[in-house]
Amino acid sequence: MGIVIAASLPVRLERDMAKVQDIDAKVATVQDLLTEKFGVKKRPLGKMLHRTGRRLPRGMHKKAQQLVDAQKLAGHPKLAMRLNHDSLNKAYDALTAHLQAIDVAERRKARLLSLAGTLAFNLLVVGAAFVFWLWWAGYV
């Protein structure tokens, strides 16, 4: 019986190591997408998520955090067996679909329009306050 366990152990470890490499490949893909879409320097995925901040929705943060946690567990052979690869695949698919749907040029255009709108509003408020001050002081 001890021989059967010893013979099946390397096959199981090879299969688990393939899954560990699969997780590392998925994390690398997510890192590349975060760098491409948000301009974040390539660092460990946890730090990259911190740098994206609110630009990435909360649900996507949680899915990416699942990948970070899985990568930590995958480094240990016994803990790697606890991973639920189906939920990791779903999280990875949803995260990459969301990141690939982001249009960098559209985000940049929206940010510039938002800045222009804010500046125009502030100029109108300051102008109205100045005219009110002129009227109150008796100049108009």
Side-chain angles (χ1 to χ4, degrees), residues 11-92:
V11 174
R12 189 174 188 183
L13 282 176
E14 287 177 13
R15 187 177 55 222
D16 289 340
M17 290 308 292
K19 289 181 180 179
V20 168
Q21 291 172 349
D22 183 45
I23 291 172
D24 289 339
K26 288 178 181 181
V27 167
T29 303
V30 171
Q31 286 174 326
D32 291 340
L33 284 171
L34 286 174
T35 300
E36 178 186 335
K37 300 297 183 176
F38 293 111
V40 180
K41 282 186 182 178
K42 196 162 190 177
R43 294 185 172 141
L45 185 57
K47 289 188 181 191
M48 291 179 80
L49 289 175
H50 181 71
R51 298 291 287 168
T52 57
R54 291 177 149 180
R55 294 180 286 176
L56 194 63
R58 181 180 298 167
M60 294 298 124
H61 262 285
K62 288 181 181 179
K63 291 180 189 312
Q65 191 62 42
Q66 283 181 345
L67 287 174
V68 171
D69 295 340
Q71 191 177 26
K72 288 178 186 175
L73 289 178
H76 193 279
K78 286 188 178 182
L79 294 178
M81 293 187 298
R82 297 181 60 202
L83 293 175
N84 184 355
H85 292 283
D86 292 334
S87 67
L88 286 176
N89 288 334
K90 288 179 184 176
Y92 169 76

Side-chain angles (χ1 to χ4, degrees), residues 104-120:
V104 177
E106 186 66 32
R107 278 187 53 238
R108 189 178 303 123
K109 193 185 318 178
R111 189 173 35 203
L112 288 174
L113 286 174
S114 175
L115 178 67
T118 302
L119 288 174

